[in-house]
Amino acid sequence: MNIQSTAASLPPQANLVVVSPAARDVKTAGETRTTDPTLTLLPVQPPDRTQLEAATQSVRDFVKPINDNLEFSVDGDSGQLVVKIIDSATKEVIRQVPSQEMLAIAKALDSIKGLFVKQSA
């Protein structure tokens, strides 16, 4: 079994993208400078639901001929991409990322955030 890291292919978690990934900050005595003067941070808009569904479908179509044990979907409540590893014999979910528990926690936190905003407004 060949397992490769997927960290490089994951979308950025912050709302900024570094245009020049080769740039590094150099710290010297009392100053910080960037070695690449073309370093620019651009704001990233999160994809809307239709873009996420289209991207999920294209990944699903690409992976299906290679490995039918992977399932890609979008959670209905949170809009998060969900990846499931399924046992081909029993059709049982072996692993899900993010887990059902994390999706439930995110939903609960989102509803609490909504209550907090309503109370303070």
Side-chain angles (χ1 to χ4, degrees):
M1 178 186 244
N2 185 9
I3 299 175
Q4 298 176 354
S5 173
T6 59
S9 63
L10 294 177
Q13 296 298 317
N15 287 336
L16 296 176
V17 171
V18 177
V19 173
S20 176
R24 300 284 186 250
D25 286 336
V26 177
K27 293 184 179 181
T28 58
E31 84 176 64
T32 301
R33 60 186 169 86
T34 303
T35 58
D36 185 354
T38 63
L39 175 66
T40 307
L41 296 178
L42 299 175
V44 175
Q45 297 294 339
D48 65 359
R49 182 77 175 199
T50 56
Q51 289 175 325
L52 190 57
E53 289 284 350
T56 303
Q57 184 62 42
S58 67
V59 169
R60 195 178 299 132
D61 294 341
F62 178 78
V63 171
K64 189 71 171 173
I66 301 166
N67 188 347
D68 62 348
N69 294 341
L70 292 174
E71 179 182 304
F72 297 88
S73 61
V74 178
D75 182 57
D77 294 330
S78 66
Q80 290 287 323
L81 176 65
V82 177
V83 180
K84 294 179 183 177
I85 301 172
I86 300 174
D87 184 358
S88 58
T90 64
K91 303 298 181 196
E92 180 184 357
V93 176
I94 298 171
R95 175 78 49 118
Q96 177 178 324
V97 177
S99 66
Q100 285 296 110
E101 293 82 10
M102 288 306 297
L103 291 172
I105 290 170
K107 184 177 177 182
L109 289 174
D110 192 40
S111 66
I112 290 172
K113 179 179 70 173
L115 290 173
F116 179 70
V117 171
K118 288 178 186 175
Q119 289 178 352
S120 60

